[in-house]
């Protein structure tokens, strides 16, 4: 119900309606009779009628601000005189009577704000800042909200709502108009208790502290670290996460946690990055995650949006600690468990963040020697990032992730990281809520990243120097033990390796002999086919091509089986 | 008509096959008797039958492999090379076969040289009188 919403909070509409009903004299003598009809009509068309009533009611009203506010709501909808008869007042009354006194705000948010005089709060709510348009979209929420709120005492609720409103006003960067109608508020408040109508404004607790952030993108300000740090200290609790972010906990941790890493670093000293990274992490993270899903790193996507929010709310030191610990944890594939508490941290105390960061550090240590190498890099990266700016932060994250991926899989992740690194800074610089489509690499970020990659190679964990032949055999032996479905002795595995060795030797000798038999020096496909025929894999019924189609991936099949392509060509050429 | 022909052919093939099997069985039986008398061990009939069956199937496999090898070498005739390739698995057998093949080639070569000499002599003899005759004629 997008009805009148001067304040993003619950029943602004209700209060307004009440006010209207109270202050304005009844116009239609037929009000009583139409009450019944109005009641019947009220429910079905309440959403629309609400707007109409308010509009029709307010237009003739002298209360300019209310009229203005309501008028803004549906400027295009002109008052319909026909419905006025019974409807405006009667409908309003019915609605007010039937609407439950409930605030769409979450119960927690209601409790949070400090108690304040009811009058002031009500008035402030009504006067609500001159941004009804912005609030409108936010107030289009599902009507079903907080049934628990209904149960609480109406008076209490009112107080909480007002408190909430006050808290919002405090956090709001916008300047709010002073109280203008105390008497109206009191009159309205008297009726609120009886209201059952719920005006859906499902604002989340986080928005209490930073309603501006939740309602609209933060203003694009120039980078100012000092101001940012100041804000960090001023704001008390982590907030400013839009509603869609909060259900982060429900997201699968794997995919969610993936990309917070790139942003945890920058949050240390990056005020702009924090601001911009709020919406970006999810978007850019998704891209990077998709790219890096192959690398099978733990999902950090969820954390990225959370991290910025938390950092915004938390103290600078704790942010640092968290950022320090976070990349390290992300390194370990087992970081999911640690990251889960991070997920739940939304709105929690900052001390908890500290604790978790400590646990993250422990996890980091538990990761092993590699963690130390990684720790060095994050620190170095941090320094560099401080100097470079948002770019550096991303790079720091990238190398860390690369290290993790490397540990998990080897070097395959690095090229992806190099490509993804430039993307993230791009994302940061783009619009707040727009996904970062550009993939053009930024020279600034690419160079330092490439410079770091070689160092990464050196610091990587030493690979076992094994004879590739033996490694292959051991691989087959492992397969053998797997398919045996029984525990196997080491000696048995060794025997298996010996047999496999002889078997493969014989196969290769046969290939050589076959090639020599045909008077050739190089082994060709015909030799292999002859071998397979001798093995019994290729028969008169099953040809080699059939086997290729059955067992080989498409890429190899394209190379082996001649296929006609456009341009009257056949590949591979026969 | 065709089906009958095919059926008859199959029957003939089967009949032929059975005759071959019987021949193999007989040969295997003889060999086994020799081995048994040498080793002073007795071999049951089922054993001989099993050995003969295995031998027969192995011969089939050999034939197919030989044909494959010959085709692999882009020939239409099975050669001693193909046979040697076939016997490479067992070293002793390979040795034996190579020795035998060498012997055969040697004898073939000797025969060829003898034939050549004979034919040359014959040619010379025939040529000389002919030339003499011609020369006489010309003269």
């Amino acid at each position: 119900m997008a009805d009148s919403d001067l304040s993003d909070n619950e029943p602004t509409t209700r209060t307004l309606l009440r006010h209207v009903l109270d202050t304005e004299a009844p116009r239609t003598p037929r009000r009583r009779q139409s009450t019944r009809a109005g009641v019947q009509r009220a429910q079905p068309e309440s959403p629309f009628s609400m707007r109409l009533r308010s509009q029709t009611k307010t237009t003739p009203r002298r209360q300019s601000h209310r009229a203005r506010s309501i008028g803004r709501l549906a400027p295009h909808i002109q008052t319909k005189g026909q419905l006025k008869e019974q409807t405006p007042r009667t409908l309003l009354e019915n609605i007010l009577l039937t609407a439950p006194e409930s605030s769409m705000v979450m119960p927690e948010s209601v409790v949070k704000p400090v108690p304040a005089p009811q009058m002031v709060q009500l008035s402030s709510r009504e006067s609500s800042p001159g941004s009804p348009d912005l609030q409108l979209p936010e107030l289009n929420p599902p009507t079903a909200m907080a049934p628990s709120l209904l149960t609480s005492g109406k008076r209490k609720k009112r107080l909480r709502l007002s408190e909430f409103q006050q808290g919002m006003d405090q956090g709001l960067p916008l300047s709010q108009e002073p109280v203008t109608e105390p008497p109206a508020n009191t009159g309205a408040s008297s009726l609120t208790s009886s209201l059952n109508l719920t005006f859906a404004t499902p604002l989340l607790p986080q928005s209490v502290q930073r309603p501006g952030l939740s309602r609209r993108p933060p203003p694009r300000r120039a980078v100012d670290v000092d101001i940012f740090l100041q804000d960090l200290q001023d704001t008390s609790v982590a907030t400013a996460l839009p509603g869609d972010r909060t259900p982060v906990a429900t997201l699968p941790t794997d995919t969610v946690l993936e990309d917070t890493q790139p942003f945890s670093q920058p949050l240390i000293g990056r005020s702009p990055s924090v601001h911009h990274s709020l919406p970006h992490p999810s978007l850019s993270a998704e891209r990077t995650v998709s790219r890096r899903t192959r690398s099978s790193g733990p999902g950090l996507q969820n954390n990225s949006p959370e991290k910025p929010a938390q950092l915004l709310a938390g103290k600078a030191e704790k942010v640092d600690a968290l950022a320090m610990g976070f990349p390290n944890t992300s390194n370990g594939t087992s970081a999911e468990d640690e990251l889960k508490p991070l997920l739940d941290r939304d709105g929690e105390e900052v001390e908890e963040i500290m604790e978790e960061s400590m646990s993250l550090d422990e996890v980091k240590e538990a990761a092993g020697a590699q963690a130390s190498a990684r720790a060095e890099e994050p620190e170095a990266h941090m320094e560099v990032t401080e100097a470079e700016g948002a770019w550096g932060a991303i790079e720091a994250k990238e190398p860390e992730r690369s290290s993790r991926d490397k540990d998990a899989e080897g070097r395959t992740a690095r090229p992806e990281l190099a490509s993804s690194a430039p993307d993230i800074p791009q994302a940061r610089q783009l619009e707040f809520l727009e996904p970062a489509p550009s993939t053009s690499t930024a020279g600034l970020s690419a160079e330092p990243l490439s410079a770091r990659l070689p160092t990464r190679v050196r610091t990587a964990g030493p690979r076992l120097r094994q004879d590739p032949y033996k490694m292959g055999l051991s691989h087959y032996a492992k397969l053998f033990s797997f398919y045996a479905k029984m525990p196997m002795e080491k000696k048995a595995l060794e025997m298996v390796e010996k047999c496999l060795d002889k078997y493969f030797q014989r196969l290769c000798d046969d290939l050589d002999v076959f090639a020599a038999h045909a008077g050739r020096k190089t082994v060709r496909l015909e030799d292999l086919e002859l071998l397979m025929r001798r093995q019994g894999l290729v028969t008169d019924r099953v040809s080699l091509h059939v086997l290729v189609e059955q067992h080989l991936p498409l890429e190899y099949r394209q190379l082996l089986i001649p296929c006609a392509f456009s341009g009257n060509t056949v590949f591979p050429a026969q | 008509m065709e089906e009958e022909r095919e059926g008859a052919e199959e029957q003939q093939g089967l009949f032929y096959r059975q005759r071959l099997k019987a021949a193999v069985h007989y040969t295997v039986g003889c060999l086994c008797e020799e081995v048994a008398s040498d080793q002073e061990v007795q071999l049951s009939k089922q054993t001989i039958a099993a050995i003969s069956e295995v031998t027969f199937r192995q011969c089939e496999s050999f034939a197919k492999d030989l044909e494959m090898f010959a085709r692999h070498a882009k020939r239409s005739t099975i050669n001693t090379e193909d046979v040697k390739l076939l016997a490479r698995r067992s070293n002793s057998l390979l040795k034996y076969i190579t020795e035998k093949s060498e012997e055969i080639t040697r004898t073939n070569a000797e025969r060829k040289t003898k034939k050549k000499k004979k034919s040359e002599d014959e040619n010379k003899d025939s040529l000389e009188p002919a030339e003499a005759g011609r020369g006489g004629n010309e003269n």
Side-chain angles (χ1 to χ4, degrees):
Chain A
M1 298 209 291
D3 294 3
S4 59
D5 304 327
L6 301 187
S7 68
D8 55 346
N9 209 354
E10 49 98 346
T12 321
T13 320
R14 194 179 302 131
T15 56
L16 287 170
L17 292 174
R18 272 179 245 127
H19 181 63
V20 165
L21 285 174
D22 294 336
T23 55
E24 293 162 3
R27 288 209 176 159
T28 61
R30 284 161 44 183
R31 190 169 60 146
R32 306 259 169 176
Q33 297 166 12
S34 60
T35 302
R36 261 177 267 127
V39 171
Q40 288 159 11
R41 253 182 270 165
Q43 270 84 17
E45 57 179 350
S46 55
F48 181 72
S49 65
M50 289 283 308
R51 193 181 302 130
L52 282 179
R53 306 307 155 248
S54 59
Q55 193 175 18
T56 55
K57 258 315 180 179
T58 53
T59 43
R61 298 305 155 224
R62 291 160 218 107
Q63 282 76 10
S64 59
H65 74 279
R66 218 182 316 107
R68 260 185 272 115
S69 57
I70 296 175
R72 284 183 211 142
L73 298 172
H76 55 286
I77 299 177
Q78 292 310 313
T79 62
K80 308 213 172 156
Q82 304 91 12
L83 298 168
K84 259 185 283 194
E85 261 319 288
Q86 57 202 0
T87 30
R89 176 160 289 274
T90 57
L91 282 176
L92 282 173
E93 272 187 348
N94 294 329
I95 289 164
L96 288 174
L97 288 168
T98 57
E101 168 75 19
S102 66
S103 98
M104 290 305 108
V105 183
M106 301 296 289
E108 298 94 353
S109 65
V110 171
V111 182
K112 271 182 190 172
V114 180
Q118 184 175 355
M119 301 293 297
V120 176
Q121 293 140 16
L122 288 173
S123 61
S124 66
R125 203 181 327 147
E126 270 202 22
S127 62
S128 73
S131 63
D133 298 334
L134 286 173
Q135 295 167 8
L136 261 178
E138 295 244 305
L139 296 169
N140 276 336
T143 55
M145 275 305 296
S148 61
L149 292 171
L150 297 175
T151 59
S152 60
K154 309 255 170 104
R155 288 290 168 193
K156 273 192 192 173
K157 250 195 272 182
R158 186 133 204 107
L159 278 173
R160 283 190 231 118
L161 290 170
S162 51
E163 293 167 1
F164 170 84
Q165 185 64 31
Q166 194 189 25
M168 282 184 56
D169 297 340
Q170 287 173 359
L172 269 179
L174 306 167
S175 64
Q176 298 190 359
E177 301 173 21
V179 178
T180 56
E181 300 176 348
N185 293 337
T186 49
S189 66
S190 63
L191 284 172
T192 52
S193 60
S194 62
L195 291 180
N196 293 328
L197 186 64
T198 64
F199 295 83
T201 53
L203 290 179
L204 296 167
Q206 291 78 14
S207 62
V208 177
Q209 302 298 329
R210 286 293 187 114
L213 281 170
S214 64
R215 275 187 240 139
R216 62 160 189 242
R220 298 254 130 201
R221 306 178 210 156
V223 176
D224 201 336
V225 182
D226 298 336
I227 292 178
F228 169 67
L229 290 174
Q230 192 98 66
D231 292 342
L232 278 181
Q233 287 160 11
D234 290 342
T235 58
S236 58
V237 185
T239 59
L241 275 189
D244 59 344
R245 296 268 176 83
T246 47
V248 142
T250 63
L251 291 173
T253 53
D254 289 351
T255 57
V256 153
L257 300 178
E258 177 78 52
D259 283 310
T260 47
Q261 204 178 5
F263 300 102
S264 64
Q265 271 294 29
L267 290 173
I268 290 171
R270 312 250 145 264
S271 56
S273 63
V274 177
H275 281 295
H276 303 306
S277 65
L278 271 178
H280 292 319
S282 58
L283 299 165
S284 57
E286 286 165 6
R287 280 187 291 99
T288 52
V289 168
S290 62
R291 248 182 276 109
R292 298 179 57 246
T293 47
R294 284 179 276 148
S295 52
S296 73
L300 298 175
Q301 194 174 11
N302 193 7
N303 276 338
S304 61
E306 286 197 65
K307 283 297 164 184
Q310 289 162 353
L311 290 172
L312 276 176
K315 315 286 184 197
E317 314 89 37
K318 295 184 182 173
V319 167
D320 290 349
L322 179 64
M324 275 299 297
F326 194 78
N328 294 321
T329 54
S330 63
N331 287 331
T333 54
S334 59
E336 296 168 351
D337 299 336
E338 285 70 19
L339 291 170
K340 262 185 184 172
L342 293 178
L343 281 174
D344 303 331
R345 206 173 318 163
D346 268 343
E348 291 179 12
E349 297 296 334
V350 184
E351 286 80 15
E352 294 177 359
I353 297 174
M354 269 299 289
E355 293 170 359
E356 285 161 351
S357 66
M358 302 307 284
S359 67
L360 290 176
D361 292 341
E362 294 170 359
V363 171
K364 163 190 112 184
E365 289 168 358
Q370 296 162 350
S372 61
R374 275 178 250 131
E376 294 167 2
E377 289 177 4
E379 287 165 0
H381 293 323
M382 278 169 60
E383 296 167 0
V384 181
T385 57
E386 297 276 354
E388 291 178 357
W391 303 95
I394 299 155
E395 293 161 9
K397 288 286 98 197
E398 292 298 346
E400 289 166 12
R401 263 194 300 174
S402 70
S403 70
R404 175 166 56 80
D405 294 337
K406 204 174 16 172
D407 299 332
E409 277 198 359
R411 321 270 148 100
T412 57
R414 227 167 293 117
E416 297 172 310
L417 293 169
S419 61
S420 63
D423 292 342
I424 296 179
Q426 297 278 339
R428 292 243 181 99
Q429 307 210 340
L430 288 180
E431 279 300 314
F432 182 82
L433 290 171
E434 288 175 6
S438 73
T439 56
S440 61
T441 64
L444 181 62
S445 64
E447 287 170 19
L449 183 60
S450 59
R452 285 209 201 93
L453 283 178
T455 61
R456 278 239 150 235
V457 176
R458 272 187 262 120
T459 57
R463 278 200 161 192
L464 288 176
R465 292 292 160 208
Q466 281 184 7
D467 179 22
Y469 184 64
K470 261 225 145 168
M471 274 179 69
L473 282 184
S474 63
H475 170 66
Y476 279 110
K478 284 179 191 169
L479 277 177
F480 185 91
S481 65
F482 168 74
Y483 283 110
K485 294 177 187 171
M486 284 173 64
M488 289 187 66
E489 287 182 340
K490 270 197 176 179
K491 284 190 179 178
L493 281 175
E494 286 173 15
M495 284 307 299
V496 166
E497 279 189 20
K498 258 191 191 176
C499 295
L500 282 172
D501 183 16
K502 294 201 172 170
Y503 177 72
F504 287 128
Q505 281 284 343
R506 179 159 288 183
L507 285 186
C508 292
D509 290 343
D510 283 356
L511 283 174
D512 288 340
V513 166
F514 291 156
H517 183 70
R520 282 185 269 107
K521 286 186 183 175
T522 54
V523 177
R524 286 225 181 126
L525 192 64
E526 301 93 60
D527 303 325
L528 186 68
E529 184 163 2
L530 186 66
L531 178 71
M532 294 188 79
R533 190 169 269 276
R534 290 218 60 188
Q535 283 181 320
L537 295 172
V538 173
T539 64
D540 296 334
R541 291 191 175 179
V542 180
S543 76
L544 185 63
H545 284 188
V546 169
L547 289 177
V548 167
E549 285 176 18
Q550 278 180 359
H551 300 288
L552 289 184
L554 186 66
E555 294 81 13
Y556 292 137
R557 183 223 159 118
Q558 285 173 351
L559 291 175
L560 289 172
I561 298 179
C563 187
F565 288 87
S566 70
N568 207 22
T569 58
V570 175
F571 180 81
Q574 283 178 327
Chain B
M1 291 275 289
E2 292 178 357
E3 290 176 1
E4 291 178 1
R5 256 184 260 159
E6 287 174 5
E9 287 176 4
E10 278 182 23
Q11 278 185 354
Q12 284 181 0
L14 281 172
F15 186 62
Y16 194 63
R17 195 183 163 89
Q18 282 175 354
R19 281 172 60 188
L20 283 173
K21 267 193 186 177
V24 167
H25 182 76
Y26 176 72
T27 314
V28 166
C30 292
L31 289 169
C32 286
E33 279 182 14
E34 287 185 22
V35 168
S37 61
D38 284 345
Q39 305 288 335
E40 295 177 1
V41 176
Q42 285 186 352
L43 292 170
S44 66
K45 287 211 171 172
Q46 289 86 2
T47 314
I48 295 169
I51 293 171
S52 65
E53 184 68 26
V54 167
T55 311
F56 192 77
R57 288 194 191 169
Q58 198 73 331
C59 284
E60 285 184 349
S61 163
F62 287 163
K64 287 182 187 169
D65 288 347
L66 285 169
E67 184 188 350
M68 276 197 305
F69 292 151
R71 197 176 298 158
H72 184 248
K74 292 166 187 142
R75 279 186 270 108
S76 57
T77 320
I78 291 177
N79 211 0
T80 51
E81 300 296 324
D82 302 330
V83 178
K84 283 186 197 169
L85 197 65
L86 188 72
R88 76 190 181 288
R89 291 293 168 130
S90 145
N91 285 341
S92 59
L93 185 60
L94 183 62
K95 238 190 198 180
Y96 183 76
I97 286 178
T98 49
E99 283 178 1
K100 284 284 175 179
S101 69
E102 283 173 9
E103 192 180 325
I104 290 171
T105 51
R106 255 184 284 129
T107 52
N108 282 348
E110 286 175 2
R111 263 190 247 160
K112 273 187 182 174
T113 54
K114 281 182 189 174
K115 267 190 178 176
K116 263 191 178 178
K117 275 186 182 177
K118 267 191 182 176
S119 59
E120 282 177 7
D121 292 341
E122 287 175 1
N123 286 340
K124 279 180 191 172
D125 294 340
S126 62
L127 278 171
E128 279 173 5
E131 286 177 0
R134 256 190 280 130
N137 289 341
E138 285 175 2
N139 295 337

